[in-house]
Each structure stands twice: as C-alpha cells, then as structure tokens.
Amino acid sequence: MSTEPTTPDAGTADVAQLGYEEARDELVSIVARLESGGEPLEASLALWERGEALANRCQTWLDGARERIDAAQAGSSSTAKDGPEADGR
C-alpha cells in the first residue's frame, strides 16, 4: 500500500524541511511511480504536485550550493590578489 499523499496539497508543506538527498531520492521514486502508469488520476495529480515541490526544493539547494561556491571562489581570488606575491616580493 502506498504512503504517498493522495490529495493535492497533502504532504507538500514538509518538503521545505528535506535535505537535498532526501528530496532527490523521493523525487526519483515519484517519477518512477508516475512512469509506471499504475496510479489513479487523483493519486497521479497529487504525486505530480509533490514532485514539483520536491524539484523546487532540490533547485533551491543547488542554487544555494552555487552561491556558496561562487562566494568561496571570489574570496579565494581576492586573497590571492592581496597575498605576498601581489606586491612583488
């Protein structure tokens, strides 16, 4: 028996609490269920909506990771410019 939500907004609120790997793994599971085609229409719609919420959560995590990488790289390049070799020593 399925434990996935079967009503349109059921269960999407907790998506904001998921880590990247949890959200990604659940999204992969939902995609597999939808691709199998064995779900009734209402359940399929609920799964689709949860999948959209999970995809958005994953994108939020990836965007945050990109910002951290960009900030680290910007910090590295400014440190390199201000280092001992920058003044010609």
Side-chain angles (χ1 to χ4, degrees):
M1 187 80 195
S2 170
T3 59
E4 293 297 323
T6 57
T7 57
D9 291 323
T12 55
D14 68 322
V15 170
Q17 305 303 315
L18 295 177
Y20 174 77
E21 288 80 7
E22 295 168 310
R24 182 202 59 215
D25 291 347
E26 187 177 344
L27 179 57
V28 167
S29 173
I30 286 174
V31 168
R33 287 178 63 188
L34 288 171
E35 286 178 341
S36 75
E39 299 290 336
L41 179 60
E42 280 299 317
S44 293
L45 290 172
L47 287 168
W48 179 272
E49 290 171 350
R50 176 121 179 127
E52 287 288 327
L54 290 164
N56 288 335
R57 181 64 178 152
C58 289
Q59 191 61 55
T60 298
W61 272 106
L62 293 172
D63 291 345
R66 170 52 58 199
E67 289 173 10
R68 289 176 63 189
I69 290 168
D70 291 344
Q73 288 176 336
S76 297
S77 40
S78 68
T79 302
K81 291 176 188 172
D82 297 335
E85 295 174 8
D87 63 4
R89 289 187 206 177

